[in-house]
């Protein structure tokens, strides 16, 4: 069944069916099991090349994809736009036409989602979104694997995302949660509510998967009784000019021990990292026994390996 994914790009989970997400999630679990049995090198893409173009700095995404590619037998080429002719005015479209005749896949971390769309439209090889302003699909696949491990189930997860509900992580959690039948709650000031595109997709898919989406300004309504509380930074890269206003509006949505108490004793804490300690989350939460952030970070490797193994021809 995985053959149906061969050659596909991954820009957003909106482009994938619930069955396809489950296939990749199961493959991720299998990859992790094999890793811990000592099978670090699989080599299914021996001799192939992966181009990694990163407009933004990265720790987890870059390291996980480079390691995953090596364990699959691939050579990686890492570059920023200034090291390519993109930095001297060559178009994204022309760059895609050239490099996709040479490499077997492209992983791109960009400021604007439109860049990924152009890359994909003019590329002969799969393009994987390693983060854009709209979504971060590879991160939330690792999050779904983490929740499967700690909660023992894939479907029916109750997850509250607290903070900026219009950011790439909130969008991606809505999209994957809609496909896995989650109860997704976005807890955010009204100014930062999610894109209608993601809300409408979740409402439509929920009729088939049982997923429920709630968007609210009220912390108690959003977090009470959830399996997981998730947050992200309040000021993402490229939003520095809005920092003061964002801090003011989002301060009441800090994930602290008081908020975790409302969530309940069964709730774990999640964050895609890096965290701005003392802002969106307090030290006593991120460092507590309820925090699964380091497990999430590790799972980036196993899900990156699954994505590359499945999509690269």
């Amino acid at each position: 069944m995985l053959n149906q994914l061969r050659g596909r790009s991954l820009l957003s989970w909106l482009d994938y069916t619930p069955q396809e997400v489950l296939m990749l999630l199961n493959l991720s679990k299998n990859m992790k099991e094999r890793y811990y049995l000592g099978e670090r090198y699989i080599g299914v893409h021996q001799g192939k090349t992966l181009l990694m173009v990163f407009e933004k700095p990265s720790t987890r995404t870059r390291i996980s994809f480079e390691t995953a590619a090596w364990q699959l037998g691939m050579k990686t080429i890492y570059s920023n736009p200034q090291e390519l002719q993109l930095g001297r005015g060559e178009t994204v479209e022309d760059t895609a036409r050239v490099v996709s005749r040479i490499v077997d896949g492209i992983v791109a971390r960009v400021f604007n989602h439109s860049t990924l769309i152009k890359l994909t439209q003019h590329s002969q090889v799969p393009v994987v979104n390693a983060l854009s302003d709209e979504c971060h699909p590879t991160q939330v696949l690792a999050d779904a694997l983490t929740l499967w491990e700690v909660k023992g189930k894939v479907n029916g997860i109750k997850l509250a995302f607290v903070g900026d509900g219009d950011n790439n992580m909130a969008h991606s959690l809505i999209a994957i949660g809609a496909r896995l039948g989650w109860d997704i709650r976005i807890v955010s000031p009204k100014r930062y509510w999610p894109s209608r595109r993601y809300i409408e997709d979740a409402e439509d898919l929920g009729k088939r998967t049982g997923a429920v989406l709630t968007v609210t300004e009220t912390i108690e309504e959003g977090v009470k009784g959830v399996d997981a509380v998730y947050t992200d930074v309040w000021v993402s890269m490229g939003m520095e000019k809005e920092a003061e206003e964002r801090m003011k509006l989002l301060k009441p949505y800090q994930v602290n021990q008081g908020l975790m108490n409302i969530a309940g004793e069964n709730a774990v804490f999640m964050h895609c990292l890096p965290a701005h300690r003392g802002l969106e989350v307090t030290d006593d939460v991120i460092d507590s026994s309820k925090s699964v952030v380091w497990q999430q970070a590790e799972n980036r490797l196993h899900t990156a390996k699954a994505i590359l193994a499945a999509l690269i021809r």
Side-chain angles (χ1 to χ4, degrees):
M1 291 180 69
L2 280 168
N3 286 336
Q4 72 188 65
L5 300 179
R6 195 75 62 203
R8 289 268 299 275
S9 290
L10 173 56
L11 302 193
S12 165
W13 292 120
L14 297 184
D15 304 324
Y16 280 67
T17 67
Q19 293 74 24
E20 289 167 343
V21 173
L22 277 170
M23 278 192 283
L24 285 170
L25 189 55
N26 276 295
L27 182 58
S28 300
K29 187 172 186 289
N30 176 260
M31 289 291 186
K32 186 170 184 178
E33 289 169 351
R34 292 167 71 177
Y35 181 87
Y36 276 98
L37 288 172
E39 194 175 357
R40 301 292 173 94
Y41 187 82
I42 297 176
V44 296
H45 289 321
Q46 184 71 41
K48 296 180 181 178
T49 305
L50 183 71
L51 174 64
M52 301 173 60
V53 182
F54 279 46
E55 293 181 346
K56 295 183 175 186
S58 172
T59 298
R60 282 147 293 277
T61 304
R62 177 180 177 178
I63 292 171
S64 62
F65 268 104
E66 287 210 35
T67 304
W70 181 86
Q71 291 181 4
L72 293 171
M74 301 184 78
K75 160 74 176 177
T76 57
I77 301 171
Y78 178 86
S79 181
N80 60 53
Q82 286 67 45
E83 294 171 329
L84 301 172
Q85 293 295 342
L86 277 169
R88 298 179 61 207
E90 185 169 43
T91 66
V92 172
E93 294 89 340
D94 286 353
T95 300
R97 291 182 181 107
V98 171
V99 300
S100 67
R101 288 172 175 262
I102 300 169
V103 302
D104 300 284
I106 301 168
V107 172
R109 185 178 178 93
V110 299
F111 282 100
N112 298 313
H113 195 77
S114 59
T115 301
L116 291 169
I117 294 172
K118 291 175 185 176
L119 269 175
T120 304
Q121 288 174 339
H122 298 277
S123 173
Q124 299 179 25
V125 299
V127 176
V128 176
N129 178 0
L131 181 143
S132 71
D133 59 336
E134 182 178 312
C135 56
H136 196 356
T138 62
Q139 172 66 54
V140 294
L141 190 64
D143 299 336
L145 177 59
T146 304
L147 286 166
W148 186 4
E149 291 171 338
V150 300
K151 294 298 178 179
K153 58 184 180 181
V154 173
N155 305 106
I157 293 288
K158 296 179 182 178
L159 181 142
F161 181 89
V162 181
D164 177 5
D166 192 30
N167 84 345
N168 48 19
M169 282 307 309
H171 290 155
S172 297
L173 288 164
I174 292 170
I176 201 166
R179 283 150 182 77
L180 296 176
W182 290 359
D183 176 347
I184 316 137
R185 306 174 190 181
I186 304 299
V187 190
S188 172
K190 191 168 288 187
R191 174 153 185 183
Y192 300 127
W193 280 9
S195 162
R196 284 300 308 172
R197 182 183 179 207
Y198 284 85
I199 292 173
E200 289 168 2
D201 174 79
E203 289 173 344
D204 180 56
L205 258 185
K207 297 169 187 174
R208 290 190 282 130
T209 65
V212 177
L213 173 63
T214 302
V215 183
T216 179
E217 292 182 284
T218 308
I219 289 172
E220 185 162 357
E221 178 188 0
V223 307
K224 191 172 183 179
V226 296
D227 294 304
V229 174
Y230 203 122
T231 194
D232 190 12
V233 297
W234 293 342
V235 183
S236 299
M237 287 178 280
M239 296 180 176
E240 289 77 10
K241 291 181 180 179
E242 307 168 32
E244 187 176 346
E245 183 181 14
R246 284 178 161 271
M247 296 287 190
K248 182 179 179 181
L249 286 173
L250 291 166
K251 187 175 181 180
Y253 294 87
Q254 181 188 69
V255 179
N256 49 40
Q257 195 55 56
L259 187 145
M260 292 299 293
N261 288 342
I262 296 171
E265 61 180 15
N266 294 323
V268 298
F269 172 71
M270 306 183 78
H271 196 304
C272 54
L273 302 178
H276 291 167
R277 291 165 174 261
L279 293 179
E280 75 271 9
V281 62
T282 55
D283 285 346
D284 58 342
V285 171
I286 196 171
D287 292 329
S288 74
S289 61
K290 298 290 186 180
S291 174
V292 295
V293 298
W294 319 120
Q295 193 169 340
Q296 288 174 263
E298 180 199 338
N299 282 340
R300 294 297 307 277
L301 167 63
H302 310 299
T303 50
K305 202 187 309 187
I307 289 166
L308 294 177
L311 303 187
I312 301 295
R313 294 187 185 93

